[in-house]
Every structure is written in C-alpha cells, then in structure tokens.
Amino acid sequence: MNWTRAELLAALHLYLQLPFGQLHRSQPRIVQLARWLRRTPSSVAMKLVNIASLDPAITGTGRAGLKKASRLDRDVWNELTASWSAVAQKAATEYEVLAAQDGLTPIEADRIAPTELPDIETEIATPTTTEREARVKVRISQVRFRRWVLASYGGRCCVTGLQEPRLLIASHIVPWSESPENRLNPRNGLCLSPLYDRAFDQGLITITPGSLNIRVSQQLRDAVADAYVQQALVALDGVPIRPPERLRPDDEFLAWHQKRYA
C-alpha cells in the first residue's frame, strides 16, 4: 500500500527524533506509529531508512540506507531542506493528528517530560489562555529542536564526546533572533556541552565550513590564559569536531558565524 503525504510527514517527524541506530522495527515509538498507521513496524522502519538514504550526511559515510526512496520521499525531503520550519511543523501536526486519535496530547505523543517544559507561570504574571498556549507551542518546538540536534550527534558533545544529556545543549549556529526561518533547522545546530556552547556563542571558537575543524579566536590564542583554558580551548585549534550521524551543519550557517566573529 502506497504511503500518503500525511503518513510520510508523520514518519518524517519521528525520523528527526530517533538516532540512526534506532531505525528498526522493535523501537517502541516505531511500533507505536505503525499501530496508528495500521502498518507493520517493519514497514515503518523501512520508510525511515528510506528517508535516511536521502541525507547526504549519512550517504557520505557509506551508510546508504535502503535505495528505494519514492518520488514522494524525495519531494518531501527537498521541501524540508528548502523550508525546515514550515515542513517540520507540518510533519509535527500530522503526527499529532494520529496521536490525538489515540487520546494523546502533543506533549504525551512526543513523551516530553515536565522538566523539559518549565512552568511559564514564573515568566508571565497573569498569562491569558492564548499567551499560555503560544508559550507552550514555542517550548515544544524548542524541545523538538534539541531532540533533533542531539539525535543527529548520537547524544554526544561534538567537541568532547560527553554523553550526559543533562550537560548537553542544542546550540544554534545562527542565533534564534537572527534567523526566524531557521530556528527549527537542525542543520543550524551543534550539540555542545556548556563550556563550548558559551565559547561558541561568544565567538571564542568557530567551526570551519567543509572541514568542520575548530578554530580558536586570535584574541584567545594571544591572551595570557591559565593552564585550563590552554588545554580546554586553545589546544583545540585545528582539531575537527565529531561529525553528526546525519543532518550535517550547513556550511552557510558556519560561514555566517565565522564572518561575524572574524
């Protein structure tokens, strides 16, 4: 049975959240989506691997996936790469429609823990229902962006390899405020631990397009720094980051960051 566009978008939503190594028929969320779609888990897992076959970051490492991507698969992937925020939102909506038929809210469908959505009451003294709903939608989008980025990097800091999720940040390359259309684009993200997130945000380090090598700012290299700064930052100049398993950072975004802090 051919896949519809709505079904494919729902599968795309799940694909973005799962590491490549979890694209198999026994993965619980794949089993769940298969039940919603009235398909077999094997069929859903195969579709996710077909999607993976369109990602240059995956094919570039020799992991070809399944070479049976349909015309619709290719069209949706091209739409996604052209307009991440719009297509990712459509994918989330289709997934939420299926979840709602099972009695699940968007938060429950994506299994978002309460700790991932801090209480907005502390930020707005007397929020209206509309304000609260808008804030919750923004928070859900932020959580999803974090999951997409961490999934791409296998849950590891791309500088150190640190795997403790409570110490990992999905860092925007081009800041949230500078590029609204790429706020949800995981290719505008790096998985970093707090020290390197701060250093990147301040322009003390950048990542070179293409080679993905770390470049330490001349200012920091010239400074009289303590031994820890020398070891943790300055010594990394020219060292490549750990490349993501998929959704490689966009060279245009990295070039933007380098130019800003040149």
Side-chain angles (χ1 to χ4, degrees):
M1 181 172 62
N2 291 336
W3 285 67
T4 67
R5 178 181 175 83
E7 290 175 333
L8 178 59
L9 285 169
L12 177 64
H13 177 73
L14 188 55
Y15 169 78
L16 291 172
Q17 298 192 42
L18 297 177
F20 183 79
Q22 292 187 26
L23 305 185
H24 54 74
R25 64 184 181 182
S26 59
Q27 212 287 335
R29 295 194 65 188
I30 289 178
V31 173
Q32 180 184 58
L33 180 59
R35 177 167 57 82
W36 293 345
L37 295 176
R38 293 182 172 82
R39 294 180 178 272
T40 66
S42 293
S43 171
V44 174
M46 184 178 297
K47 177 56 66 177
L48 298 184
V49 178
N50 281 335
I51 294 172
S53 73
L54 302 174
D55 186 346
I58 287 178
T59 58
T61 61
R63 297 169 298 168
L66 296 176
K67 298 181 179 179
K68 294 184 179 180
S70 69
R71 175 64 180 271
L72 180 60
D73 296 342
R74 297 179 187 280
D75 288 346
V76 169
W77 181 263
N78 289 337
E79 290 173 23
L80 178 70
T81 56
S83 182
W84 275 95
S85 293
V87 178
Q89 185 56 55
K90 290 178 183 177
T93 298
E94 295 297 346
Y95 190 87
E96 289 167 6
V97 167
L98 294 171
Q101 295 172 2
D102 208 18
L104 300 177
T105 67
I107 291 176
E108 292 169 334
D110 276 347
R111 302 177 185 178
I112 296 174
T115 53
E116 294 181 277
L117 288 170
D119 189 353
I120 65 168
E121 301 290 349
T122 59
E123 299 180 11
I124 306 177
T126 56
T128 65
T129 299
T130 301
E131 287 174 329
R132 185 174 182 84
E133 289 177 350
R135 289 296 183 105
V136 169
K137 287 181 180 179
V138 169
R139 288 289 172 80
I140 291 175
S141 294
Q142 291 170 337
V143 171
R144 286 171 174 164
F145 175 78
R146 169 182 164 80
R147 289 183 171 186
W148 298 343
V149 172
L150 266 62
S152 290
Y153 286 87
R156 294 172 178 264
C157 169
C158 67
V159 175
T160 65
L162 178 74
Q163 297 185 69
E164 172 51 61
R166 291 170 294 185
L167 294 174
L168 294 176
I169 298 171
S171 303
H172 281 85
I173 300 171
V174 179
W176 176 277
S177 60
E178 297 278 352
S179 183
E181 68 275 16
N182 284 300
R183 287 174 175 175
L184 300 183
N185 185 347
R187 297 194 66 195
N188 186 32
L190 297 168
C191 182
L192 296 168
S193 55
L195 171 63
Y196 298 99
D197 168 70
R198 183 65 173 167
F200 188 80
D201 184 60
Q202 295 293 310
L204 298 177
I205 62 172
T206 60
I207 310 296
T208 58
S211 65
L212 299 184
N213 289 337
I214 300 167
R215 297 299 302 175
V216 178
S217 72
Q218 191 66 49
Q219 178 186 9
L220 190 59
R221 280 183 283 158
D222 291 343
V224 178
D226 61 37
Y228 182 78
V229 171
Q230 289 289 337
Q231 179 182 4
L233 290 169
V234 177
L236 294 177
D237 190 53
V239 175
I241 65 169
R242 297 167 182 262
E245 296 179 350
R246 60 181 185 183
L247 303 176
R248 178 186 172 96
D250 192 296
D251 283 345
E252 289 188 12
F253 301 148
L254 294 174
W256 181 95
H257 188 271
Q258 277 203 318
K259 182 177 181 180
R260 177 168 185 164
Y261 293 104

